[in-house]
Amino acid sequence: MAEKKFAGINGTVIDALVESDFEQAPQFDKVKVGKLGVYFKDGFKTRYLEYGLIERVFIRVQEVNGKLCCGNTILQYFRLVFVRDGKEFVDVISENEKAMDEALALIAANAPDLKIGFERKEG
């Protein structure tokens, strides 16, 4: 059996422990949250974001004003945003607020040293 390849932060990752973690990780919409990191599809690749290489994770709510034939409506999207070296480097978009909240809560439980939530910069 060929080992699964993951697109990690620093390049390709081929590791039986990571593959096992991926298989056992609970799924929240498009995101799987494991003990070692977070997994999601990115085109034809499966991305693997190792907890030790991430600084912060937060949810960004994006509202879109939709104009319809009979009026307006507001659509909401929820982005699970990952920060490294002080910069947002990847996010996963979903329409399911509950799934993103549960994913963020499990990330916080699995990686207690990871900063959770948005950080407001002074100035």
Side-chain angles (χ1 to χ4, degrees):
M1 179 174 94
E3 290 185 331
K4 185 167 180 63
K5 292 182 184 179
F6 297 92
I9 293 173
N10 294 324
T12 302
V13 176
I14 302 172
D15 186 337
L17 287 174
V18 173
E19 185 174 354
S20 175
D21 186 52
F22 171 76
E23 296 298 331
Q24 296 174 13
Q27 184 151 356
F28 303 94
D29 197 17
K30 300 174 184 174
V31 178
K32 291 183 91 168
V33 179
K35 300 283 184 194
L36 302 176
V38 178
Y39 309 88
F40 60 93
K41 287 287 192 187
D42 185 14
F44 293 113
K45 300 177 189 174
T46 299
R47 294 288 305 261
Y48 163 57
L49 306 179
E50 182 182 343
Y51 291 133
L53 300 177
I54 303 170
E55 279 179 25
R56 175 179 303 280
V57 181
F58 65 93
I59 294 175
R60 174 176 288 136
V61 180
Q62 182 176 355
E63 292 186 345
V64 178
N65 186 17
K67 296 186 188 278
L68 307 171
C69 63
C70 55
N72 294 338
T73 188
I74 294 177
L75 306 171
Q76 288 186 329
Y77 297 98
F78 305 91
R79 294 179 179 269
L80 191 60
V81 181
F82 297 87
V83 177
R84 181 171 185 230
D85 298 329
K87 296 180 182 166
E88 297 174 13
F89 73 100
V90 69
D91 66 14
V92 181
I93 190 168
S94 174
E95 293 179 13
N96 189 336
E97 180 180 16
K98 184 176 184 258
M100 293 296 100
D101 288 342
E102 290 173 351
L104 187 62
L106 188 54
I107 290 169
N110 289 345
D113 295 335
L114 191 60
K115 295 176 186 172
I116 303 295
F118 181 75
E119 181 179 53
R120 186 176 304 269
K121 294 186 180 179
E122 299 298 322

